[in-house]
């Protein structure tokens, strides 16, 4: 299956712009928008990886994909990616009584998503 | 003192029939302040009434104020200036934001703005005091509040600006300071701020501290201040008197050791409980001590006139002379010689007139003639001379004997009293008596004995005289230093006595005020206790803990709060069995009523994070309690999660919700928060329309917001239905947590059955094509993005949400 949307790197850069630039249009709306973009980028990296390495895995639940990933890239990064994905899922679903994520949390998640994307590209390029 | 309280005190004084007694005036003066107390103690007792009347007449009611906005810049979590606007009137406003979003900076900013100059009731850590400037924008730093004040058109603004390097409490207040609005005392009394940490620590410090915090609300601190003033006036006076007493003790001791009569008099005047200072002064003022019998006797003894050696010797000399002369003319009879001489003179006279003749005496013839005449004249002269000598001697003898009698007087009776002044007069008495008793028959032996006895007598007399003189000097030497010290003490004692004269009145005033304070405390606390009980009923939904009564009891170190709490109907249950959330709720019940007191000028109250550690059912109670307060007051609540807003929305409580988010570099965004469905739809719609947003972003993000709106609508339906049906919050949250997918949430919302996810799409398609499309796109597109019309998608989602919400 060919990618139809923007690349993970594009999504992450859009998220980064949202996080760092104040704009009246996005005032107060950006935290969850950033979380959404970040989550999509992270899932995008994951799907791209499996499509190239082991087609079919990209259709399984994301949690399973992330667990499998530990055998392919640095386990430490894989574990962090898993935590980040869980946190992003919470932020992107309407979760009980939780408010929008804070800027610092989002920055951390973006960082992890970016690292994961680079690691995946690196692994695929070999 | 607050005029209201002053009036209460005056009314109570009058009711107690205290009239214009000095102590009553002291009570009033102490309530009016240190200056007034000074005036009344200075003697102008009735001034207290005038001052009270002035204060009561002059007191302007503080102006009721609502909050209009808080603007914060460069302070705590907020960098660039942000303004939090609220409706200036009764109502509930919730400000929500994650921890660290900067929301609390508004609450703290407002508190600092109003109270920084009045910081003493708060122990802030140094860390807090140092970390108050914003990290990203340490300057400019300012906090500004806008208030709508009753009777004042427009807006009253208070701004506090900190110059570079200024400390937290050194902020410059611009425009109207709180003091000018008459808020200074009220800020302490009715402090319209409550924070989680404050609520949490309320019971930590013990019942005495809790008592003080509660009673400070009653403004009783001012009554305590007045009591302290009285005490501060009384103590130095008592000390002064005690010091005078202390200094007197050794003086009295020394006085008892003195035999001086003045010492006895002074001792008698000062030994009792009340001192006769005037008598003491009179004794000290005495320059001579003539009246003092002891001293008089001593002085007489010192000057005693005993026979002297010189007098005695001159007497014995005269005796010897008389004796010797008598020996010379011994045998001569003065009378015979004198008669013979006068006979011869008669015979001579006869011869002269009759011439020679016979002897007229013996008759011898021709015995008297010229020859006889010559002899007779000589003999008459001799006889006359001899008679004169004898008479002179006899006269001298008499004179000598007179002198002896004078010299040999009996010893004076005062010698018998010499013992009274501690002297021994026996040797002198003995010598003197022996001297005086010498027989005088024989002059020669008399003189001899006198000469023998005068030596010991003179010696004994000299001895006694010098002993008496010494004793006089000794007495004077002991008395004088005591007298000097007594004079110094007397000045001090007079001052102390004058000062101490006020002590009984001061004590009485203190006693009355103490009792009155307890009464006033009870009276003023009654509505608060009532309010606390009512609030607790609201707050403690479904709780087995009941707050029966809140009583302020005791005074001084034993003052405390008694919370009469029953658990499951069991009395005497302690606070120990309560959870932190329950303790917070009790604390809130106790402290929230103060904002509703009509005396408070603050129509607003700011509560920072009261929800922490409360379970969801208690949050419902909190929402209701806040709503009840918000009917008459402006309630501004800062909270870190969505529980309180959710409860407010679910229970249809009228409230405004503002969400605070913080970007990097402390840029804080504020916007009105809608309910989650409306907010997500609003976000989706706004982003769909935003031209400046890259398409790729909008296409990815908008379907997600649509999905979030649908989920929120489903959750709302589930919560309303289940919690409304009596299912516990915890069980409902459990159910929702087990439905992570959009479809399963919808199954719960539509069919009340999590397992009917497969039926969801068909049911939604029955509602309409747009609804079905919206559901399909938002669930799929939330991962992959959507290329179609985003605005159509939002409209469809909106319709779907409306349908869902109709289910509840």
């Amino acid at each position: 299956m060919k990618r139809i949307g923007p690349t993970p790197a594009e999504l992450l850069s859009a998220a980064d712009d949202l996080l760092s630039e104040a704009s009246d249009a996005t005032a107060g709306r950006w935290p969850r928008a950033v979380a959404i973009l970040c989550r999509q980028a992270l899932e995008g990296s994951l799907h791209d990886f499996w499509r190239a390495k082991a087609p079919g895995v990209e259709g399984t639940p994301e949690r399973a994909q992330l667990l499998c990933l530990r055998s392919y890239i640095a386990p430490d990064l894989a574990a962090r990616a898993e935590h980040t994905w869980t946190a992003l899922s919470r932020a992107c679903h309407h979760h009980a009584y939780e408010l929008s994520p804070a800027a610092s949390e989002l920055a951390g998640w973006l960082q992890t998503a970016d690292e994961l994307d680079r690691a995946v590209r690196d692994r695929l390029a070999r | 003192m607050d005029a209201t309280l002053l009036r209460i005190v005056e009314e109570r004084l009058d009711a107690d029939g205290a009239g214009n007694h000095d102590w009553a005036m002291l009570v009033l003066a102490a309530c009016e302040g240190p200056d007034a107390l000074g005036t009344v103690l200075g003697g102008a007792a009735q001034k207290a009434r005038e001052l009270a009347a002035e204060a009561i007449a002059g007191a302007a009611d503080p102006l009721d104020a609502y909050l209009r906005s808080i603007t914060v810049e460069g302070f705590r979590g907020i960098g660039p200036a942000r303004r939090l606007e609220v409706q200036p009137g009764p109502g509930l406003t919730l400000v929500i934001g994650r921890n660290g979003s900067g929301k609390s900076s508004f609450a703290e900013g407002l508190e600092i703005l109003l109270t920084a100059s009045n910081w003493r009731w708060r122990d802030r850590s140094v860390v807090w005091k140092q970390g108050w400037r914003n990290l990203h924008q340490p300057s400019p730093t300012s906090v500004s509040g806008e208030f709508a004040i009753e009777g004042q058109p427009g807006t009253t603004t208070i701004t506090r600006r900190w110059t570079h390097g200024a400390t937290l409490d050194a902020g410059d207040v611009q425009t109207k300071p709180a003091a000018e609005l008459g808020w200074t005392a009220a800020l302490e009394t009715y402090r319209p701020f409550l924070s989680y940490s404050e609520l949490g620590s309320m019971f930590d410090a013990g019942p005495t501290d809790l008592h003080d915090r509660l009673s400070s609300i009653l403004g009783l601190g001012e009554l305590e201040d007045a009591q302290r003033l009285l005490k501060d006036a009384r103590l130095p006076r008592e000390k002064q008197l005690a010091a005078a007493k202390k200094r007197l003790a050794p003086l009295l001791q020394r006085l008892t050791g003195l035999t001086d009569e003045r010492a006895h008099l002074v001792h008698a005047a000062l030994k009792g409980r009340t001192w006769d200072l005037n008598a003491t002064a009179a004794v000290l003022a005495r320059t001579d001590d003539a009246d003092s019998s002891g001293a008089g006797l001593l002085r007489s003894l010192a000057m005693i006139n005993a026979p002297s050696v010189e007098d005695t010797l001159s007497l014995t000399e005269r005796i010897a002379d008389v004796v010797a002369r008598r020996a010379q003319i011994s045998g001569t009879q003065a009378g015979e010689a004198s008669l013979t001489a006068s006979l011869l003179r008669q015979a001579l006279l006869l011869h002269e007139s009759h011439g020679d003749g016979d002897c007229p005496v013996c008759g011898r013839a021709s015995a008297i003639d010229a020859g006889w005449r010559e002899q007779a004249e000589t003999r008459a002269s001799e006889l006359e001379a001899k008679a004169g000598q004898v008479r002179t001697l006899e006269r001298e003898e008499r004179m000598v004997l007179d002198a002896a009698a004078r010299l040999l007087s009996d010893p004076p009776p005062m010698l018998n009293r010499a013992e009274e002044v501690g002297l021994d007069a026996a040797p002198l008495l003995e010598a003197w008596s022996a001297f005086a008793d010498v027989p005088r028959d024989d002059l020669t032996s008399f003189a001899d004995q006198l000469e023998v006895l005068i030596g010991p007598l003179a010696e004994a007399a000299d001895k006694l005289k010098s002993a008496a003189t010494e004793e006089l000097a000794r007495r004077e030497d002991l008395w004088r230093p005591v007298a000097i010290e007594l004079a110094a003490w007397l000045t001090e004692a007079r001052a102390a006595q004058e000062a101490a004269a006020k002590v009984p009145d001061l004590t009485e005033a203190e006693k009355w005020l103490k009792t009155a304070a307890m009464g006033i405390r009870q009276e003023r606390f009654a509505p608060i206790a009532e309010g606390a009980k009512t609030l607790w009923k609201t707050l403690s939904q479904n709780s087995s803990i009941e707050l029966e009564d809140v009583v302020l009891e005791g005074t001084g170190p034993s003052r405390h709060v008694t919370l009469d709490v029953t658990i499951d109907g069991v009395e005497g249950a302690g606070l120990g069995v309560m959870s932190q959330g329950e303790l917070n709720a009790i604390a809130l019940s106790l402290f929230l009523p103060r904002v509703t007191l009509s005396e408070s000028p603050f129509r607003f109250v700011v509560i920072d994070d009261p929800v922490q550690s409360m379970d969801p059912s208690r949050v419902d109670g909190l929402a209701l309690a806040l709503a009840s307060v918000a009917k008459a007051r402006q309630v501004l609540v800062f909270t870190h999660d969505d529980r309180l807003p959710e409860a407010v929305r679910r229970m249809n409580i009228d409230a405004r919700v503002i969400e605070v988010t913080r970007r990097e570099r402390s840029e804080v965004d504020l916007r009105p928060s809608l309910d989650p469905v409306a907010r997500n739809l609003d976000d989706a719609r706004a982003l769909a329309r935003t031209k400046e947003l890259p398409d790729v972003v909008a296409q990815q993000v908008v379907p997600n917001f649509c999905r979030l709106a649908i989920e929120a609508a489903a959750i709302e339906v589930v919560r309303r239905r289940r919690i409304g049906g009596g299912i516990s919050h915890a069980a409902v949250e459990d159910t929702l947590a087990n439905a992570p997918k959009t479809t399963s949430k919808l199954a719960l919302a539509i069919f009340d059955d999590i397992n009917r996810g497969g039926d969801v799409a068909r049911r939604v398609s029955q509602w309409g094509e747009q609804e079905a499309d919206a559901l399909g796109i938002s669930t799929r597109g939330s991962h992959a993005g959507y290329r179609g019309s985003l605005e159509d998608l939002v409209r469809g989602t909106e319709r779907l949400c409306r349908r869902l919400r109709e289910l509840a």
Side-chain angles (χ1 to χ4, degrees), chain B residues 25-26 28-42 44 47-48 51:
Chain B
M25 296 304 104
L26 286 173
L28 273 184
C31 290
E32 285 150 8
D35 294 345
L37 186 59
T39 308
V40 168
L41 280 172
K47 191 84 181 148
L51 287 172

Side-chain angles (χ1 to χ4, degrees), chain A residues 6 32 40 43 92-93 105, chain B residues 98 680 700 708 711 782-783:
Chain A
R32 284 179 314 143
Q40 285 173 352
E43 288 179 356
C92 296
H93 280 270
E105 281 176 293
Chain B
R98 303 264 302 214
N680 283 307
Q700 293 294 318
L708 287 173
E711 281 189 6
S782 60
H783 291 273

Side-chain angles (χ1 to χ4, degrees), chain B residues 72-327:
Chain B
V72 175
E73 181 178 24
F75 175 81
R76 301 274 280 145
I78 297 177
R82 283 296 180 270
R83 176 184 158 96
L84 171 62
E85 259 182 85
V86 285
Q87 289 294 325
L92 178 59
T93 303
L94 305 179
V95 180
I96 56 172
R98 303 264 302 214
N99 289 329
S101 64
K103 66 174 177 352
S104 291
S105 306
F106 287 103
E108 288 158 351
L110 182 66
E111 195 173 341
I112 295 274
L113 172 68
L114 295 179
T115 63
S117 59
N118 201 355
W119 204 236
R120 63 188 153 95
W121 38 262
R122 201 84 176 267
D123 298 319
R124 283 291 194 183
S125 70
V126 176
V127 176
W128 203 96
K129 279 190 174 175
Q130 286 172 347
W132 58 279
R133 281 180 193 272
N134 182 262
L135 207 61
H136 302 111
Q137 186 192 311
S139 186
T141 303
S142 70
V143 177
S144 172
E146 288 180 312
F147 301 88
I149 295 177
E150 185 191 60
Q152 294 191 358
T155 298
T156 302
T157 310
I158 305 176
T159 304
R160 197 180 279 277
R161 232 179 272 288
W162 287 268
T163 52
H164 184 77
T167 57
L168 180 61
D169 34 19
D172 241 2
V173 182
Q174 298 182 345
T175 58
K176 284 214 177 205
E180 208 173 296
L181 295 164
W183 285 356
T184 314
L187 276 167
E188 231 179 301
T189 309
Y190 307 107
R191 209 160 71 79
F193 306 99
L194 273 174
S195 71
Y196 172 75
S197 56
E198 202 179 346
L199 289 173
S201 67
M202 211 65 91
F203 296 103
D204 291 349
T208 303
D209 195 59
L210 184 61
H211 172 280
D212 290 352
R213 292 190 195 208
L214 277 173
S215 61
S216 81
I217 295 164
L218 309 178
L220 297 183
E222 293 184 300
L223 286 178
E224 278 161 25
D225 289 346
Q227 287 179 64
R228 204 166 302 121
L229 277 181
L230 288 170
K231 194 176 172 188
D232 288 349
R234 173 175 57 82
L235 284 183
R237 286 159 197 271
E238 287 179 342
K239 272 193 192 137
Q240 205 179 340
L241 190 63
K245 263 185 192 153
K246 203 176 164 194
R247 249 188 89 181
L248 177 60
L251 280 172
L252 278 177
Q253 191 68 33
R254 281 169 66 185
L255 285 173
T256 45
L258 295 186
T259 42
D260 197 296
E261 195 215 8
R262 292 167 296 187
H264 295 309
L265 288 173
V266 171
H267 188 264
L270 298 180
K271 70 181 174 190
R273 284 175 53 86
T274 49
W275 302 324
D276 190 344
L277 296 181
N278 289 334
T280 307
V283 172
L284 289 178
R286 237 160 66 179
T287 49
D288 71 274
D289 50 357
D291 299 330
S292 142
S293 59
L297 180 58
L298 274 172
R299 191 149 292 132
S300 306
L301 288 172
M303 296 186 298
I304 200 161
N305 217 355
S308 71
V309 174
E310 293 76 35
D311 291 350
T312 307
L313 289 181
S314 102
L315 178 70
T316 53
E317 241 169 67
R318 281 168 72 189
I319 290 174
D321 179 46
V322 167
V323 168
R325 279 160 63 196
R326 183 188 284 160

